[in-house]
Amino acid sequence: MRRELLKLALALPAFSVAASRAFAQAWPSKPVRLVLPSGAGGGADIFGRPMAEYLGKELKQQFVVENRPGANGILAHEAVVRQPPDGHTVLISFSAAIIANKLLQPKMSHDPLKDFTPVAQIGGGGGNLLIVNPDLPIRNMKDLYEYAKSKNGSATYGSWGIASGGHLVMEMIKTRTGMQITHVPYKTVAQISPDVVSGVLGISTIDAASPLPFIKSGRVRAIATLAPQRLPQTPEVPTLKEQGIDYEIAPVYGVYVPAGTPKAIIDALNAAVNKWLALPETISYFETKQNGPKPQILSAEEFARKQDRDVALWRKLIEDSKVTL
């Protein structure tokens, strides 16, 4: 995989130069807003800022990062969806925000599957983690079931919001196992780890990156990987499937623009993002900082087709979770 990415990196410069010219012709010279669905230190923020810095240099256009956390990505969506489709407002979003919101909330003010055009996939589908306070007698999913049973319905768990991937996965587990545990939604991912460390919150789903310092120091214990495969920085943490829960969704982040954005801008952004993803330092960054697999290089059209296929997987997860809003 690394060899293929390096080959791609060598092939991209010529196309990237042409894309940059098309980009410059299509865009007047003024700052581009890059809207992120997480707060400072959250999943999208960790890679969004270095990506914005690279895009600014590569496309010779200033990229200004704007954090809009909350409502499972909806606040970030609303900051972008009504903007002119001229490439001056770009969104980073994630599978649950784009797909699950659409399936769960058909009367939303916008349709994320229609109102945004996929530009580039970021990451290879790293998934999330299930973490606990280390003082709790929980080291695996079996222990979690026993702990919840001992609490007679008073056990709670956190996630980064209603209808988030972490919320849906835990509700699916509850449906399949009969476990009784109540959801506590947070506004941002960054709020979760400190509360688990302090014991304010004993159990939570969380992204795979932000709790790494706490996991490495022993202040938080990870008991399950919410992804199809174990993750590079937490290889000791088994997947849900290894612990008896059949779960195969690999959520990803992606770059989006408002529907109707010219193809020249979409192609230029796709080329620049993919060039950044193919850099050896970016590959290392995803493995170490994002705790995720190597990035997948997809064209805008390939990313759109993948998203269409993922809709069926998320629909099944929602049905299994029995979550309604």
Side-chain angles (χ1 to χ4, degrees), residues 197-218:
V197 169
S198 67
V200 171
L201 178 69
I203 304 159
S204 188
T205 55
I206 195 168
D207 71 289
S210 62
L212 283 178
F214 302 104
I215 294 171
K216 299 296 185 183
S217 65

Side-chain angles (χ1 to χ4, degrees), residues 1 7 26 43 54 93 101 117 140 189-190 202 266 281 288:
M1 179 65 172
K7 285 168 61 179
Y54 178 85
S93 193
N101 281 340
T117 298
N140 51 48
V189 167
I266 293 171
E281 54 265 37
T288 57

Side-chain angles (χ1 to χ4, degrees), residues 17-283:
V17 169
S20 296
R21 289 173 180 165
F23 183 90
Q25 291 170 359
W27 286 8
S29 182
K30 69 178 186 179
V32 178
R33 293 169 61 206
L34 180 64
V35 180
L36 309 183
S38 65
D45 190 74
I46 290 174
F47 65 78
R49 290 184 181 276
M51 188 185 78
E53 182 178 358
Y54 178 85
L55 292 180
K57 294 176 181 177
E58 179 68 18
L59 297 172
K60 297 178 175 56
Q61 196 91 345
Q62 183 184 8
F63 278 72
V64 179
V65 173
E66 182 177 317
N67 296 91
R68 288 291 186 100
N72 194 38
I74 292 177
L75 297 185
H77 287 191
E78 290 178 344
V80 175
V81 69
R82 304 305 176 201
Q83 297 302 311
D86 59 5
H88 286 98
T89 310
V90 179
L91 172 72
I92 289 180
S93 193
F94 50 97
S95 302
I98 293 289
I99 300 174
N101 281 340
K102 163 64 177 177
L103 298 176
L104 281 166
Q105 304 187 69
K107 295 184 179 180
M108 258 191 324
S109 63
H110 68 282
D111 183 335
L113 290 174
K114 292 182 179 179
D115 293 339
F116 296 113
T117 298
V119 173
Q121 177 176 303
I122 305 175
N128 304 296
L129 293 170
L130 178 56
I131 61 173
V132 300
N133 181 284
D135 291 337
L136 296 181
I138 304 172
R139 294 187 174 274
N140 51 48
M141 294 302 293
K142 182 179 178 181
D143 288 347
L144 176 60
Y145 306 148
E146 293 299 323
Y147 175 80
K149 184 177 179 180
S150 72
K151 291 298 181 179
N152 297 315
S154 66
T156 61
Y157 78 93
S159 84
W160 58 98
I162 295 172
S164 65
H167 176 211
L168 295 175
V169 171
M170 283 295 286
E171 294 301 311
M172 174 269 289
I173 292 171
K174 287 169 59 177
T175 299
R176 293 187 187 179
T177 65
M179 178 176 64
Q180 297 297 310
I181 187 169
T182 301
H183 180 223
V184 179
Y186 277 63
K187 183 177 180 180
T188 70
V189 167
Q191 297 171 314
I192 293 174
S193 289
D195 274 8
V196 175
V197 169
S198 67
V200 171
L201 178 69
I203 304 159
S204 188
T205 55
I206 195 168
D207 71 289
S210 62
L212 283 178
F214 302 104
I215 294 171
K216 299 296 185 183
S217 65
R219 290 178 289 171
V220 159
R221 178 184 298 135
I223 65 167
T225 298
L226 311 184
Q229 70 288 315
R230 296 193 185 200
L231 302 176
Q233 293 299 307
T234 50
E236 73 284 359
V237 182
T239 66
L240 282 177
K241 191 168 186 177
E242 290 176 289
Q243 300 185 71
I245 298 291
D246 188 16
Y247 175 73
E248 293 291 339
I249 291 179
V252 297
Y253 284 97
V255 177
Y256 297 84
V257 290
T261 299
K263 190 174 185 302
I265 292 176
I266 293 171
D267 288 345
L269 277 171
N270 176 269
V273 171
N274 284 343
K275 187 176 178 182
W276 175 70
L277 291 173
L279 296 174
E281 54 265 37
T282 304
I283 296 169

